[in-house]
Amino acid sequence: MAIRKIVERGDPVLEKVCRPVTEFNGRLHTLLDDMRETLEEASGVGLAAPQVGVLRRVCIVEDSEGEILELINPEIIATGGEQTGLEGCLSIPGRYGIVTRPYKVRVRAQDRDGVTFEVEDEDLTARCFCHEIEHLDGHLYTEHCDHLLSDEEVQKYIEDHPEQFGQDEEEE
Ligand code: ZN
């Protein structure tokens, strides 16, 4: 496994539409393993292949249990509800915006061996599904917010919305 370089906003690779994966081979497995290691090193919750310069429909998402979901050729097939909260991206380090997403999202994808499966999740993981899958079509979350927050605005948002930042758990 190897840590790959995460490309940052401004790199044209982040604006391209990725091609579907057709071969579920060792090369794909190496990409997935490298993406896992890269995500872990960056302490993120999701990473899409174009963020490491690979224009293929591949992304990984860490769910609320800490499991890494590998999504190949993923598609959102159902959504429900709505959530509004802070969103960031490893390709836009240190910056956040306020983005509204569905609260619940169901995804159909293939695993690393090409087997089709469906997964449904909510809250932060649902947000992450939307964010990562958009990367595969060359979109960034910044398209959904009017501006990126200043450090002061981020601090104020966290203070005003403690329920979104696991304050209850930290107090235990
Ligand atoms: Zn991102």
Side-chain angles (χ1 to χ4, degrees), residues 136-151:
L136 308 181
D137 287 311
H139 296 296
L140 296 175
Y141 79 87
T142 49
E143 295 168 35
H144 301 292
C145 48
D146 51 14
H147 73 293
L148 292 179
L149 304 183
S150 66
D151 291 347

Side-chain angles (χ1 to χ4, degrees), residues 50-86:
Q51 292 182 278
V52 294
V54 177
L55 288 169
R56 288 287 180 177
R57 304 190 78 82
V58 173
C59 62
I60 59 173
V61 169
E62 185 182 327
D63 72 12
S64 55
E65 324 263 76
E67 289 288 313
I68 300 283
L69 299 165
E70 297 178 345
L71 305 171
I72 322 298
N73 301 325
E75 277 177 86
I76 292 173
I77 53 169
T79 62
E82 200 179 271
Q83 58 174 317
T84 298
L86 279 191

Side-chain angles (χ1 to χ4, degrees), residues 46-48 51 88-92 131-132 135 139-141:
L47 187 67
Q51 292 182 278
C89 178
L90 292 174
S91 294
I92 311 172
H131 178 116
E132 300 311 328
H135 269 299
H139 296 296
L140 296 175
Y141 79 87

